[in-house]
Amino acid sequence: MTQRYANIIGWGKYVPSRVITNADLEKTLDTSDEWIFTRTGIRQRHVVSPDEYTSTMATAAAEEALESAGVRARDLGLIIVATSSPDYLTPPVSSQVQHALGAKDVGAFTLVAGCPGFVYGLATAQQFIVSDACDNVLVIGAELISRYTDWNDRATAVLFGDGAGAAVLQVGDEPSGVLSYVLGSDGSGAEHLILPGGGTVAPPSQETLDQGLHYLRMNGRQIFRFATRVLGKALHQAIQQAGLTTDDIDLFVPHQANSRIIESAARYVGLPREKVFINIEQYGNTSAASIPIAMCEALEQGRIKTGDTVAFVAFGAGLTWASAVVKLGEPSMPTPISRLRLSLPSRLFDPITRVTRTTSAGLMKALAGCLALITALRRRGAKRRKDDG
Ligand code: UT7
């Protein structure tokens, strides 16, 4: 069997239009634009309007990714939605997204791995593709943290934002796509980033509400220490596992949590500033959505293109971390043939695809037969000449 690779062939993002600036937060919190920007790199964050949910943002990002990949939702083999802020505890938000996309009967699951969820999703998609279980997998990172934020808590309110990003991975036979990944977890630090109420330990009650246990709580200093300890190392491991060196990385697209943490990871592996992508200034920390949103922006701005090698690294609640090295695959814009395929009903296009596939398989077989015959005849001629001589 030919080696299968998992290429990223399409990408999309959705960011709500409403913006909350640091100046807005200064009016309600004991904080300042100067403190937030110098400590984190954040100037503003995008926040949903009342009629938006994690599923609506995830669906919008996914539609853009499918369009850019030229893949129809119903041709997906699997949908993975990485999030820690689903519409409901159950049903899984992945099924709502699958339904909204019109991906009839396609398998879907929600992956909860904190901010590195999207990178965990890439690793999972790669496994499904290389093992021949699926040809097309959609991975989405979507977060709506503003509804879990205590807007009176300056330790968290200044950091997070809402948004979604998505990627379509497709099987390919060239050595590209997800080249390596590293996944890690250390549950001993669970209490440093936690939403304590609403689960089985503290089910929702008047008491949990009164204590504000339904809001995200964070010990920023501890998370900062953890991040600077694991991030550079995880990035280095992924680059090594891909058989590459830092010089081979065209762009480092890290989880956008804090520009100081990003710079420390880049320093650890010796990546120069111009090879680091940072957009935290505009979006804040969008958790599992931050890497796919950053990847889309890097592509839109021409910072990366097909054939380039990108390194991802993230850390977050769990505590967890993940890194990956990806060589970008096929063109992002739909080709004329994929546009035609997208616009035609499957009952029209699928027979054409089948006929093309059968015809080309038949031609290949005939060609192989001819080559085998020519080789046999040449061998027989050579033997006869040897016998005559
Ligand atoms: O995706 C993972 C999610 N979490 C993170 O990425 C968080 C990682 N941690 C961080 O990014 C940083 O630790 C923070 C940005 C959260 C905080 O920066 P820091 O340099 O670690 O500050 P600190 O917690 O050591 O606090 C320094 C001071 C304290 O005052 P005192 O004790 O020195 O008087 C805080 O009370 O800054 C104060 N402070 C603030 N001041 C203004 C804490 N939060 C704020 C605030 N505005 N929002």
Side-chain angles (χ1 to χ4, degrees), residues 2-198:
T2 20
Q3 174 71 44
R4 292 165 63 92
Y5 296 92
N7 281 320
I8 294 182
I9 60 153
W11 36 80
K13 70 175 197 311
Y14 176 83
V15 182
S17 53
R18 189 174 153 222
V19 167
I20 297 182
T21 63
N22 291 350
D24 294 330
L25 293 177
E26 278 178 354
K27 292 176 198 151
T28 54
L29 285 171
D30 178 17
T31 191
S32 65
D33 174 51
E34 199 265 332
W35 188 95
I36 302 171
F37 186 69
T38 52
R39 302 274 177 150
T40 68
I42 300 168
R43 285 273 189 218
Q44 60 170 50
R45 67 286 299 142
H46 291 247
V47 169
V48 289
S49 50
D51 58 347
E52 290 181 300
Y53 314 102
T54 305
S55 59
T56 57
M57 292 193 295
T59 304
E63 280 170 345
E64 196 176 290
L66 287 165
E67 163 71 11
S68 92
V71 169
R72 289 178 310 189
R74 75 193 111 174
D75 291 335
L76 290 167
L78 183 67
I79 298 169
I80 302 170
V81 182
T83 186
S84 299
S85 48
D87 290 14
Y88 308 101
L89 258 183
T90 198
V93 70
S94 41
S95 292
Q96 291 154 255
V97 174
Q98 166 267 321
H99 178 63
L101 289 173
K104 195 170 178 314
D105 298 338
V106 173
F109 65 84
T110 300
L111 189 160
V112 187
C115 304
F118 180 79
V119 183
Y120 268 73
L122 285 184
T124 312
Q126 192 250 20
Q127 288 298 314
F128 272 86
I129 289 175
V130 300
S131 65
D132 207 4
C134 296
D135 284 348
N136 295 306
V137 180
L138 172 65
V139 183
I140 306 166
E143 299 283 10
L144 199 167
I145 303 176
S146 62
R147 291 208 179 115
Y148 295 105
T149 301
D150 176 356
W151 289 97
N152 293 313
D153 174 16
R154 69 177 183 177
T156 52
V158 302
L159 294 179
F160 295 98
D162 302 332
V168 176
L169 285 89
Q170 187 171 72
V171 65
D173 51 13
E174 293 293 320
S176 61
V178 182
L179 302 179
S180 68
Y181 57 81
V182 172
L183 308 179
S185 168
D186 177 5
S188 69
E191 78 274 16
H192 298 318
L193 185 48
I194 189 166
L195 202 156

Side-chain angles (χ1 to χ4, degrees), residues 181-246:
Y181 57 81
V182 172
L183 308 179
S185 168
D186 177 5
S188 69
E191 78 274 16
H192 298 318
L193 185 48
I194 189 166
L195 202 156
T200 55
V201 171
S205 65
Q206 192 54 52
E207 208 182 325
T208 62
L209 283 177
D210 292 345
Q211 292 174 11
L213 300 186
H214 53 294
Y215 292 130
L216 195 65
R217 292 185 177 179
M218 188 183 70
N219 181 336
R221 220 174 277 183
Q222 287 295 337
I223 301 283
F224 193 97
R225 261 189 223 139
F226 155 75
T228 45
R229 183 166 53 79
V230 300
L231 235 52
K233 216 157 125 192
L235 180 59
H236 178 67
Q237 283 171 339
I239 295 172
Q240 258 194 339
Q241 273 182 33
L244 302 175
T245 67
T246 302

Side-chain angles (χ1 to χ4, degrees), residues 328-348:
L328 292 172
E330 288 298 298
S332 63
M333 292 315 291
T335 59
I337 194 82
S338 64
R339 271 192 195 285
L340 178 69
R341 194 184 151 93
L342 279 170
S343 61
L344 284 175
S346 58
R347 66 177 183 286
L348 266 182

